[in-house]
Coordinates of all heavy atoms in Angstrom, one line a residue:
C1 N 112.1 109.4 104.9 CA 112.4 110.0 103.6 C 111.6 109.3 102.5 O 111.9 108.3 102.0 CB 113.9 109.8 103.3 SG 114.4 110.8 101.8
V2 N 110.4 109.9 102.2 CA 109.5 109.4 101.3 C 110.1 109.2 99.9 O 109.9 108.2 99.2 CB 108.3 110.3 101.2 CG1 107.3 109.8 100.1 CG2 107.5 110.3 102.5
Y3 N 110.9 110.2 99.5 CA 111.5 110.2 98.1 C 112.5 109.0 98.0 O 112.4 108.2 97.1 CB 112.2 111.5 97.8 CG 112.8 111.5 96.4 CD1 112.0 111.9 95.3 CD2 114.1 111.0 96.2 CE1 112.5 111.8 94.0 CE2 114.6 111.0 94.9 CZ 113.8 111.4 93.8 OH 114.3 111.3 92.5
C4 N 113.5 108.9 98.9 CA 114.5 107.8 98.8 C 113.8 106.5 98.9 O 114.2 105.5 98.3 CB 115.5 108.0 100.0 SG 116.7 109.4 99.7
L5 N 112.8 106.4 99.8 CA 112.1 105.1 100.0 C 111.4 104.7 98.7 O 111.5 103.5 98.3 CB 111.1 105.2 101.1 CG 110.4 103.9 101.5 CD1 111.3 102.7 101.6 CD2 109.6 104.1 102.8
S6 N 110.8 105.6 98.0 CA 110.1 105.3 96.7 C 111.1 104.8 95.7 O 110.9 103.8 95.0 CB 109.4 106.5 96.2 OG 110.2 107.5 95.7
V7 N 112.3 105.5 95.6 CA 113.3 105.1 94.6 C 113.8 103.7 94.9 O 113.9 102.8 94.0 CB 114.5 106.1 94.6 CG1 115.6 105.6 93.8 CG2 114.0 107.4 94.1
H8 N 114.2 103.4 96.1 CA 114.8 102.1 96.5 C 113.9 101.0 96.7 O 114.2 99.8 96.5 CB 115.8 102.4 97.6 CG 116.9 103.3 97.2 ND1 118.0 102.9 96.5 CD2 117.0 104.7 97.4 CE1 118.7 103.9 96.2 NE2 118.2 105.0 96.7
A9 N 112.6 101.3 96.9 CA 111.6 100.3 96.9 C 111.4 99.8 95.4 O 111.3 98.6 95.2 CB 110.2 100.9 97.4
Q10 N 111.4 100.7 94.5 CA 111.3 100.3 93.1 C 112.5 99.5 92.7 O 112.4 98.5 92.0 CB 111.3 101.6 92.2 CG 109.9 102.3 92.2 CD 109.9 103.5 91.2 OE1 110.8 103.5 90.3 NE2 109.0 104.3 91.4
R11 N 113.7 99.9 93.1 CA 114.9 99.1 92.7 C 114.9 97.8 93.3 O 115.4 96.8 92.6 CB 116.2 99.9 93.1 CG 116.3 101.2 92.3 CD 117.6 102.0 92.6 NE 117.7 103.2 91.8 CZ 118.6 104.1 92.0 NH1 119.5 104.0 93.0 NH2 118.6 105.2 91.2
F12 N 114.5 97.6 94.6 CA 114.4 96.3 95.1 C 113.5 95.4 94.3 O 113.8 94.3 94.0 CB 113.9 96.4 96.6 CG 113.6 95.0 97.2 CD1 114.7 94.3 97.8 CD2 112.4 94.4 97.1 CE1 114.5 93.0 98.3 CE2 112.2 93.1 97.6 CZ 113.2 92.4 98.2
E13 N 112.3 96.0 94.0 CA 111.3 95.2 93.2 C 111.9 94.8 91.9 O 111.7 93.6 91.4 CB 110.0 96.0 93.1 CG 108.9 95.2 92.3 CD 107.6 95.9 92.2 OE1 107.4 96.8 93.0 OE2 106.9 95.7 91.2
Q14 N 112.6 95.7 91.2 CA 113.2 95.4 89.9 C 114.2 94.2 90.0 O 114.3 93.4 89.1 CB 113.9 96.6 89.3 CG 112.9 97.7 88.9 CD 113.6 99.1 88.8 OE1 114.8 99.2 89.0 NE2 112.8 100.1 88.3
L15 N 114.9 94.2 91.1 CA 116.0 93.2 91.3 C 115.4 91.9 91.8 O 115.8 90.8 91.4 CB 117.1 93.7 92.2 CG 117.9 94.9 91.6 CD1 118.7 95.6 92.8 CD2 118.9 94.3 90.6
A16 N 114.5 92.0 92.8 CA 114.0 90.8 93.4 C 112.7 90.2 92.8 O 112.3 89.1 93.1 CB 113.7 91.1 94.9
K17 N 112.1 91.0 91.9 CA 110.9 90.6 91.2 C 109.7 90.3 92.2 O 108.9 89.5 92.0 CB 111.1 89.3 90.4 CG 112.3 89.4 89.4 CD 112.2 90.6 88.5 CE 113.4 90.6 87.6 NZ 113.5 91.9 86.7
R18 N 109.7 91.1 93.3 CA 108.6 91.0 94.3 C 108.6 92.2 95.1 O 109.6 93.0 95.2 CB 108.8 89.7 95.2 CG 110.1 89.7 96.0 CD 110.2 88.4 96.7 NE 111.5 88.3 97.4 CZ 111.7 88.7 98.6 NH1 110.7 89.3 99.3 NH2 112.9 88.6 99.2
N19 N 107.5 92.5 95.8 CA 107.4 93.7 96.6 C 106.8 93.4 98.0 O 106.4 94.3 98.8 CB 106.5 94.7 95.9 CG 105.1 94.3 95.7 OD1 104.6 93.2 96.2 ND2 104.3 95.1 95.0
D20 N 106.7 92.1 98.4 CA 106.1 91.8 99.7 C 106.8 92.4 100.9 O 106.1 93.0 101.7 CB 106.0 90.2 99.8 CG 107.3 89.5 99.5 OD1 108.3 90.2 99.2 OD2 107.3 88.2 99.5
V21 N 108.1 92.3 100.9 CA 108.8 92.9 102.0 C 108.7 94.4 102.0 O 108.8 95.1 103.1 CB 110.3 92.4 102.1 CG1 111.1 93.0 100.9 CG2 111.0 92.8 103.4
I22 N 108.6 95.0 100.8 CA 108.4 96.5 100.8 C 107.1 96.9 101.4 O 107.0 97.9 102.1 CB 108.6 97.0 99.3 CG1 109.9 96.6 98.7 CG2 108.3 98.4 99.2 CD1 111.1 97.3 99.5
A23 N 106.1 96.1 101.1 CA 104.8 96.4 101.7 C 104.8 96.3 103.2 O 104.3 97.2 103.9 CB 103.7 95.5 101.2
Q24 N 105.5 95.3 103.7 CA 105.7 95.1 105.1 C 106.5 96.3 105.7 O 106.2 96.8 106.8 CB 106.4 93.8 105.4 CG 105.6 92.6 105.0 CD 106.5 91.3 105.1 OE1 107.6 91.4 105.4 NE2 105.9 90.2 104.7
L25 N 107.5 96.7 105.0 CA 108.4 97.9 105.5 C 107.6 99.1 105.5 O 107.7 99.9 106.5 CB 109.6 98.0 104.5 CG 110.7 98.9 104.9 CD1 111.4 98.4 106.2 CD2 111.8 99.0 103.8
F26 N 106.8 99.4 104.5 CA 105.9 100.6 104.6 C 105.0 100.5 105.8 O 104.7 101.5 106.4 CB 105.0 100.6 103.3 CG 105.7 101.1 102.1 CD1 107.1 101.3 102.0 CD2 105.0 101.3 100.9 CE1 107.7 101.7 100.8 CE2 105.6 101.7 99.7 CZ 107.0 101.9 99.7
A27 N 104.4 99.3 106.1 CA 103.5 99.2 107.2 C 104.1 99.3 108.5 O 103.7 100.1 109.4 CB 102.8 97.8 107.0
D28 N 105.3 98.6 108.7 CA 105.9 98.6 110.1 C 107.3 98.0 110.0 O 107.4 96.8 109.9 CB 105.1 97.9 111.1 CG 105.7 97.9 112.5 OD1 106.7 98.6 112.7 OD2 105.1 97.3 113.4
P29 N 108.4 98.8 110.0 CA 109.7 98.3 109.9 C 110.1 97.3 111.0 O 111.0 96.5 110.9 CB 110.6 99.5 109.8 CG 109.8 100.6 110.3 CD 108.4 100.3 110.0
A30 N 109.4 97.5 112.2 CA 109.8 96.7 113.3 C 109.5 95.2 113.1 O 110.1 94.3 113.7 CB 109.0 97.2 114.6
T31 N 108.5 94.9 112.2 CA 108.2 93.5 112.0 C 108.4 93.1 110.5 O 108.0 92.0 110.1 CB 106.7 93.3 112.3 OG1 105.9 94.2 111.6 CG2 106.5 93.5 113.8
A32 N 109.0 93.9 109.7 CA 109.1 93.7 108.3 C 110.2 92.6 108.0 O 111.2 92.5 108.7 CB 109.4 94.9 107.5
G33 N 109.9 91.8 106.9 CA 110.9 90.8 106.5 C 110.2 89.5 106.2 O 109.4 89.0 107.0
T34 N 110.4 89.0 105.0 CA 109.7 87.7 104.6 C 110.5 86.5 105.1 O 110.0 85.4 105.0 CB 109.5 87.6 103.1 OG1 110.8 87.4 102.5 CG2 108.8 88.8 102.6
N35 N 111.7 86.7 105.7 CA 112.4 85.6 106.2 C 113.4 86.1 107.2 O 113.5 87.4 107.4 CB 113.2 84.8 105.1 CG 114.1 85.7 104.3 OD1 114.8 86.5 104.8 ND2 113.9 85.6 102.9
A36 N 114.1 85.3 107.9 CA 115.0 85.7 109.0 C 116.1 86.6 108.5 O 116.5 87.5 109.2 CB 115.6 84.5 109.7

């Protein structure tokens, strides 16, 4: 769902002040996450 993902990627970034895990999620959810 491209639309929902765009909305909630923005909201994560607004709250967390970073987008590293979002970039990982876009690339491959199987390996995404900056920590355990």
Side-chain angles (χ1 to χ4, degrees):
C1 187
V2 173
Y3 182 88
C4 288
L5 183 48
S6 71
V7 171
H8 296 279
Q10 287 184 16
R11 290 182 182 172
F12 174 86
E13 182 179 333
Q14 290 162 358
L15 292 163
K17 309 304 181 186
R18 59 187 177 86
N19 64 6
D20 46 3
V21 67
I22 298 300
Q24 295 168 3
L25 193 61
F26 284 7
D28 184 3
T31 57
T34 68
N35 54 49

